[in-house]
Amino acid sequence: NSLIYSAANGHLEFVTLVEKAGLVAGRDQAFAYAVRGCYMDIARKLLGEGAKPTAIADGKASELVWLLEHPPLYTAGTSSKPEELLEARFPVHKVGRGGQFTYHGPGQRIAYAMLDLNRRKPDVRAYVATLEEWIIQTLSWFNVRGERREDRIGVWVRRPEKGDGCEDKIAALGIRVKRWVTMHGIALNVEPDLSHFAGIVPCGIAEPRYGVTSFADLGLPVSMTEVDMALRAAFEELFGKTQAARDSAA
């Protein structure tokens, strides 16, 4: 079976989401299909929560991947510590994914993946490693060498010009699994405002030699459309063929 892959078409539109959903009014990506329903429904879909994982686990719904951008905000994972929120410059949202604090905002490609691991391999560690490989293969399209680290989650780029042992994170990931259906996903820095990360200790890593970077910071003027094409191609190499989302997939 093919995956439904909801690729963004590059057009940004304003979407007001209800406060109760844990999101704020802001701009969100227009999907390849028209999202239907009330704002609460949209918010639940963007968070990867609600009835959808159960429907996927029961074989009543297709697996999905959503590509989008968030307005500026911080998310606090299940392992986050209050002292790692240095300055609440943007709204802070507690989410069900693993991990600590991270930043999301314009210029960062978010990919929410809802995949049934029972149809693949019911192994969370293997899934996380595959997400990292997805990012690494995507970076390779642009001649960027991304690497994983045993003691630090995410994908890292060596920065020898900054000093010995310096590395910057270019992509973060955090997941949750319900009935072996995955939720949440990855965040790849294309051209976000990196100063926005200063309000938190990103992913709990405070060592000065470890920072954050992006395609733009590396001197690569890559468009979001180019990144989306690379993401989809790399995804299909690892997870199988996809198909464009339809209205019925929403």
Side-chain angles (χ1 to χ4, degrees), residues 62-247:
S62 299
E63 297 172 294
L64 285 166
V65 175
W66 280 296
L67 301 183
L68 61 145
E69 289 177 277
H70 280 312
L73 55 86
Y74 297 127
T75 61
T78 55
S79 300
S80 60
K81 302 174 183 177
E83 61 270 23
E84 292 173 350
L85 178 62
L86 306 179
E87 180 185 0
R89 300 168 59 182
F90 305 109
V92 180
H93 304 287
K94 292 184 178 180
V95 292
R97 62 161 175 81
Q100 295 159 295
F101 279 101
T102 194
Y103 164 78
H104 297 311
Q108 185 187 67
R109 174 52 82 223
I110 306 294
Y112 283 128
M114 302 183 73
L115 307 179
D116 187 352
L117 297 185
N118 264 327
R119 304 182 200 176
R120 301 168 183 280
K121 183 179 181 180
D123 184 325
V124 174
R125 287 182 179 272
Y127 175 64
V128 169
T130 307
L131 289 182
E132 291 174 333
E133 185 62 24
W134 179 21
I135 298 164
I136 289 169
Q137 290 192 21
T138 298
L139 294 174
S140 71
W141 275 56
F142 307 99
N143 296 315
V144 174
R145 183 179 177 181
E147 301 179 53
R148 58 171 60 89
R149 294 288 177 261
E150 291 298 326
D151 59 337
R152 288 173 273 128
I153 197 167
V155 175
W156 298 79
V157 176
R158 299 188 190 204
R159 304 300 300 272
E161 71 278 14
K162 291 186 174 183
D164 292 341
C166 288
E167 297 183 345
D168 288 342
K169 179 183 281 191
I170 194 168
L173 59 101
I175 67 165
R176 179 184 174 191
V177 178
K178 179 180 180 180
R179 290 187 60 190
W180 290 110
V181 174
T182 66
M183 294 173 281
H184 302 277
I186 67 171
L188 176 59
N189 296 331
V190 180
E191 194 177 6
D193 186 336
L194 295 180
S195 70
H196 292 175
F197 284 89
I200 58 172
V201 178
C203 301
I205 300 171
E207 289 187 56
R209 60 182 174 144
Y210 301 137
V212 290
T213 191
S214 66
F215 282 113
D217 183 54
L218 295 172
L220 297 171
V222 177
S223 71
M224 197 68 79
T225 299
E226 291 173 310
V227 170
D228 288 345
M229 291 174 61
L231 277 168
R232 185 168 184 176
F235 184 92
E236 291 188 341
E237 286 290 325
L238 295 166
F239 292 100
K241 290 295 183 181
T242 64
Q243 64 187 51
R246 303 179 301 274
D247 285 356

Side-chain angles (χ1 to χ4, degrees), residues 15-29:
V15 180
T16 302
L17 300 174
V18 291
E19 188 175 354
K20 289 181 181 178
L23 297 175
V24 295
R27 62 183 192 173
D28 208 343
Q29 202 74 13

